[in-house]
Amino acid sequence: MTEYIRALAQDAARSEARRMLASLIPGQTGINLADEVADAVLGAAQSYQQAGTFAIIRHLVDWLDQANGTGETETARRLLKLTEEVGEVSSAYIGTVGQNPRKGVTHTNDDVADELCDVIVTAMVALHRFTDNPGQHFAAKVQHIADRVLVKEQP
Ligand SMILES: [Mg+2]
């Protein structure tokens, strides 16, 4: 999952590159050119990175399907699992600040990062139940969010 976090950081770097390109070439032409270059780089990188990650998740989904079946109850349980994992993020974070005086500091930032990765993986597994192409759906969603944010940031 470290690779997944690194991929997100690289995507953020590409967004920054898009912003820098737009500032180097003033006016609407510069913005359009920067968007085209950034989109091409981002799209190629995302396709490559997510193909690997989603291939691994696909194996996890197949394993779960074989063990637990594929009915509506299993779908609901996979969504419930997501809530469980989010709770573990909160628990780990609380453990980093020693909020419970009886327990003191029980977790590290690395523990929180691990729990966040559990949330991401669990969501990726659940995502397979609602779309035939989870990798493509995810990439499109990330692009949509990036576009929305970048549009707001442009003068
Ligand atoms: Mg967990």
Side-chain angles (χ1 to χ4, degrees):
M1 280 304 100
T2 303
E3 287 180 11
Y4 186 77
I5 299 298
R6 187 171 44 233
L8 290 177
Q10 287 171 346
D11 290 346
R14 284 185 191 85
S15 292
E16 181 61 24
R18 172 187 276 168
R19 224 181 341 267
M20 289 174 66
L21 277 168
S23 70
L24 290 174
I25 309 168
Q28 194 61 38
T29 302
I31 291 170
N32 292 341
L33 182 61
D35 281 348
E36 285 180 33
V37 171
D39 283 345
V41 171
L42 184 63
Q46 282 181 335
S47 296
Y48 174 76
Q49 291 161 348
Q50 289 168 6
T53 301
F54 274 97
I56 294 169
I57 299 298
R58 179 74 247 178
H59 286 294
L60 292 175
V61 169
D62 291 343
W63 172 72
L64 277 172
D65 287 352
Q66 282 195 331
N68 298 342
T70 58
E72 281 301 314
T73 300
E74 179 61 17
T75 298
R77 287 175 180 167
R78 290 182 193 182
L79 294 174
L80 284 173
K81 179 72 177 170
L82 188 54
T83 303
E84 178 193 25
E85 294 296 349
V86 170
E88 290 175 5
V89 170
S90 300
S91 179
Y93 176 72
I94 287 169
T96 66
V97 297
Q99 191 269 341
N100 184 335
R102 184 178 59 80
K103 295 181 179 176
V105 174
T106 57
H107 290 75
T108 65
N109 283 346
D110 200 47
D111 294 327
V112 177
D114 280 349
E115 296 299 346
L116 286 168
C117 290
D118 285 349
V119 170
I120 293 165
V121 169
T122 304
M124 290 173 81
V125 168
L127 178 60
H128 282 69
R129 310 292 287 195
F130 298 94
T131 176
D132 292 332
N133 194 335
Q136 186 179 49
H137 196 105
F138 181 74
K141 182 65 177 179
V142 169
Q143 187 64 58
H144 175 74
I145 292 169
D147 289 345
R148 196 172 51 198
V149 170
L150 290 172
V151 167
K152 283 185 179 176
E153 289 183 355
Q154 289 172 358

PDB file of all heavy atoms in Angstrom, residues 81 84-89 111 114-119 122, ligand 1:
ATOM      1  N   LYS A  81     -17.763  -3.187   6.828  1.00  0.00           N
ATOM      2  CA  LYS A  81     -16.329  -3.316   7.104  1.00  0.00           C
ATOM      3  C   LYS A  81     -15.623  -1.982   6.931  1.00  0.00           C
ATOM      4  O   LYS A  81     -14.695  -1.648   7.688  1.00  0.00           O
ATOM      5  CB  LYS A  81     -15.729  -4.376   6.163  1.00  0.00           C
ATOM      6  CG  LYS A  81     -14.262  -4.596   6.303  1.00  0.00           C
ATOM      7  CD  LYS A  81     -13.907  -5.311   7.583  1.00  0.00           C
ATOM      8  CE  LYS A  81     -12.399  -5.579   7.666  1.00  0.00           C
ATOM      9  NZ  LYS A  81     -12.030  -6.051   8.999  1.00  0.00           N
ATOM     10  N   GLU A  84     -16.041  -0.056  10.032  1.00  0.00           N
ATOM     11  CA  GLU A  84     -15.142  -0.593  11.056  1.00  0.00           C
ATOM     12  C   GLU A  84     -13.729  -0.036  10.886  1.00  0.00           C
ATOM     13  O   GLU A  84     -13.089   0.390  11.852  1.00  0.00           O
ATOM     14  CB  GLU A  84     -15.105  -2.123  10.972  1.00  0.00           C
ATOM     15  CG  GLU A  84     -14.155  -2.746  11.980  1.00  0.00           C
ATOM     16  CD  GLU A  84     -13.869  -4.220  11.695  1.00  0.00           C
ATOM     17  OE1 GLU A  84     -13.986  -4.647  10.526  1.00  0.00           O
ATOM     18  OE2 GLU A  84     -13.521  -4.941  12.633  1.00  0.00           O
ATOM     19  N   GLU A  85     -13.259  -0.028   9.641  1.00  0.00           N
ATOM     20  CA  GLU A  85     -11.895   0.448   9.394  1.00  0.00           C
ATOM     21  C   GLU A  85     -11.751   1.943   9.681  1.00  0.00           C
ATOM     22  O   GLU A  85     -10.715   2.392  10.190  1.00  0.00           O
ATOM     23  CB  GLU A  85     -11.471   0.133   7.958  1.00  0.00           C
ATOM     24  CG  GLU A  85     -11.336  -1.352   7.648  1.00  0.00           C
ATOM     25  CD  GLU A  85     -10.239  -2.056   8.448  1.00  0.00           C
ATOM     26  OE1 GLU A  85      -9.417  -1.381   9.105  1.00  0.00           O
ATOM     27  OE2 GLU A  85     -10.217  -3.294   8.426  1.00  0.00           O
ATOM     28  N   VAL A  86     -12.778   2.714   9.374  1.00  0.00           N
ATOM     29  CA  VAL A  86     -12.737   4.149   9.690  1.00  0.00           C
ATOM     30  C   VAL A  86     -12.634   4.334  11.201  1.00  0.00           C
ATOM     31  O   VAL A  86     -11.891   5.191  11.696  1.00  0.00           O
ATOM     32  CB  VAL A  86     -13.984   4.869   9.115  1.00  0.00           C
ATOM     33  CG1 VAL A  86     -14.076   6.301   9.649  1.00  0.00           C
ATOM     34  CG2 VAL A  86     -13.918   4.882   7.589  1.00  0.00           C
ATOM     35  N   GLY A  87     -13.365   3.510  11.954  1.00  0.00           N
ATOM     36  CA  GLY A  87     -13.277   3.567  13.412  1.00  0.00           C
ATOM     37  C   GLY A  87     -11.869   3.263  13.906  1.00  0.00           C
ATOM     38  O   GLY A  87     -11.393   3.878  14.867  1.00  0.00           O
ATOM     39  N   GLU A  88     -11.190   2.352  13.232  1.00  0.00           N
ATOM     40  CA  GLU A  88      -9.820   2.015  13.627  1.00  0.00           C
ATOM     41  C   GLU A  88      -8.866   3.175  13.359  1.00  0.00           C
ATOM     42  O   GLU A  88      -7.888   3.366  14.094  1.00  0.00           O
ATOM     43  CB  GLU A  88      -9.374   0.739  12.910  1.00  0.00           C
ATOM     44  CG  GLU A  88     -10.113  -0.493  13.432  1.00  0.00           C
ATOM     45  CD  GLU A  88      -9.798  -1.771  12.662  1.00  0.00           C
ATOM     46  OE1 GLU A  88      -8.932  -1.756  11.775  1.00  0.00           O
ATOM     47  OE2 GLU A  88     -10.443  -2.793  12.970  1.00  0.00           O
ATOM     48  N   VAL A  89      -9.144   3.970  12.322  1.00  0.00           N
ATOM     49  CA  VAL A  89      -8.344   5.179  12.080  1.00  0.00           C
ATOM     50  C   VAL A  89      -8.499   6.119  13.268  1.00  0.00           C
ATOM     51  O   VAL A  89      -7.506   6.643  13.812  1.00  0.00           O
ATOM     52  CB  VAL A  89      -8.779   5.899  10.783  1.00  0.00           C
ATOM     53  CG1 VAL A  89      -8.106   7.269  10.671  1.00  0.00           C
ATOM     54  CG2 VAL A  89      -8.454   5.055   9.561  1.00  0.00           C
ATOM     55  N   ASP A 111       0.982   3.976  12.631  1.00  0.00           N
ATOM     56  CA  ASP A 111      -0.230   3.177  12.887  1.00  0.00           C
ATOM     57  C   ASP A 111      -1.443   3.827  12.201  1.00  0.00           C
ATOM     58  O   ASP A 111      -2.282   3.133  11.620  1.00  0.00           O
ATOM     59  CB  ASP A 111      -0.496   3.060  14.392  1.00  0.00           C
ATOM     60  CG  ASP A 111       0.577   2.270  15.116  1.00  0.00           C
ATOM     61  OD1 ASP A 111       1.143   1.326  14.515  1.00  0.00           O
ATOM     62  OD2 ASP A 111       0.850   2.608  16.292  1.00  0.00           O
ATOM     63  N   ASP A 114      -1.251   3.176   8.548  1.00  0.00           N
ATOM     64  CA  ASP A 114      -1.664   1.797   8.247  1.00  0.00           C
ATOM     65  C   ASP A 114      -3.181   1.665   8.241  1.00  0.00           C
ATOM     66  O   ASP A 114      -3.761   1.005   7.362  1.00  0.00           O
ATOM     67  CB  ASP A 114      -1.086   0.818   9.285  1.00  0.00           C
ATOM     68  CG  ASP A 114       0.360   0.468   9.012  1.00  0.00           C
ATOM     69  OD1 ASP A 114       0.873   0.799   7.921  1.00  0.00           O
ATOM     70  OD2 ASP A 114       0.977  -0.140   9.906  1.00  0.00           O
ATOM     71  N   GLU A 115      -3.822   2.293   9.222  1.00  0.00           N
ATOM     72  CA  GLU A 115      -5.285   2.199   9.293  1.00  0.00           C
ATOM     73  C   GLU A 115      -5.951   2.927   8.124  1.00  0.00           C
ATOM     74  O   GLU A 115      -6.982   2.480   7.608  1.00  0.00           O
ATOM     75  CB  GLU A 115      -5.798   2.736  10.639  1.00  0.00           C
ATOM     76  CG  GLU A 115      -5.341   1.921  11.848  1.00  0.00           C
ATOM     77  CD  GLU A 115      -5.798   0.466  11.830  1.00  0.00           C
ATOM     78  OE1 GLU A 115      -6.683   0.122  11.032  1.00  0.00           O
ATOM     79  OE2 GLU A 115      -5.250  -0.334  12.603  1.00  0.00           O
ATOM     80  N   LEU A 116      -5.368   4.054   7.725  1.00  0.00           N
ATOM     81  CA  LEU A 116      -5.903   4.747   6.547  1.00  0.00           C
ATOM     82  C   LEU A 116      -5.783   3.865   5.308  1.00  0.00           C
ATOM     83  O   LEU A 116      -6.693   3.829   4.460  1.00  0.00           O
ATOM     84  CB  LEU A 116      -5.173   6.079   6.334  1.00  0.00           C
ATOM     85  CG  LEU A 116      -5.547   7.192   7.327  1.00  0.00           C
ATOM     86  CD1 LEU A 116      -4.564   8.361   7.220  1.00  0.00           C
ATOM     87  CD2 LEU A 116      -6.972   7.677   7.086  1.00  0.00           C
ATOM     88  N   CYS A 117      -4.679   3.135   5.210  1.00  0.00           N
ATOM     89  CA  CYS A 117      -4.521   2.208   4.081  1.00  0.00           C
ATOM     90  C   CYS A 117      -5.578   1.106   4.137  1.00  0.00           C
ATOM     91  O   CYS A 117      -6.108   0.697   3.094  1.00  0.00           O
ATOM     92  CB  CYS A 117      -3.124   1.593   4.085  1.00  0.00           C
ATOM     93  SG  CYS A 117      -1.825   2.768   3.664  1.00  0.00           S
ATOM     94  N   ASP A 118      -5.903   0.650   5.342  1.00  0.00           N
ATOM     95  CA  ASP A 118      -6.977  -0.342   5.472  1.00  0.00           C
ATOM     96  C   ASP A 118      -8.292   0.209   4.928  1.00  0.00           C
ATOM     97  O   ASP A 118      -9.056  -0.505   4.266  1.00  0.00           O
ATOM     98  CB  ASP A 118      -7.173  -0.747   6.940  1.00  0.00           C
ATOM     99  CG  ASP A 118      -6.086  -1.674   7.452  1.00  0.00           C
ATOM    100  OD1 ASP A 118      -5.285  -2.178   6.636  1.00  0.00           O
ATOM    101  OD2 ASP A 118      -6.050  -1.901   8.683  1.00  0.00           O
ATOM    102  N   VAL A 119      -8.563   1.477   5.229  1.00  0.00           N
ATOM    103  CA  VAL A 119      -9.787   2.111   4.719  1.00  0.00           C
ATOM    104  C   VAL A 119      -9.783   2.134   3.197  1.00  0.00           C
ATOM    105  O   VAL A 119     -10.778   1.784   2.545  1.00  0.00           O
ATOM    106  CB  VAL A 119      -9.933   3.554   5.275  1.00  0.00           C
ATOM    107  CG1 VAL A 119     -11.063   4.300   4.573  1.00  0.00           C
ATOM    108  CG2 VAL A 119     -10.164   3.520   6.780  1.00  0.00           C
ATOM    109  N   THR A 122     -10.211  -1.416   1.808  1.00  0.00           N
ATOM    110  CA  THR A 122     -11.584  -1.879   2.042  1.00  0.00           C
ATOM    111  C   THR A 122     -12.555  -1.188   1.090  1.00  0.00           C
ATOM    112  O   THR A 122     -13.474  -1.834   0.555  1.00  0.00           O
ATOM    113  CB  THR A 122     -11.981  -1.628   3.512  1.00  0.00           C
ATOM    114  OG1 THR A 122     -11.029  -2.267   4.365  1.00  0.00           O
ATOM    115  CG2 THR A 122     -13.360  -2.173   3.812  1.00  0.00           C
TER     116      THR A 122
HETATM  117 MG    MG B   1      -7.666  -1.562  10.269  1.00  0.00          MG
END
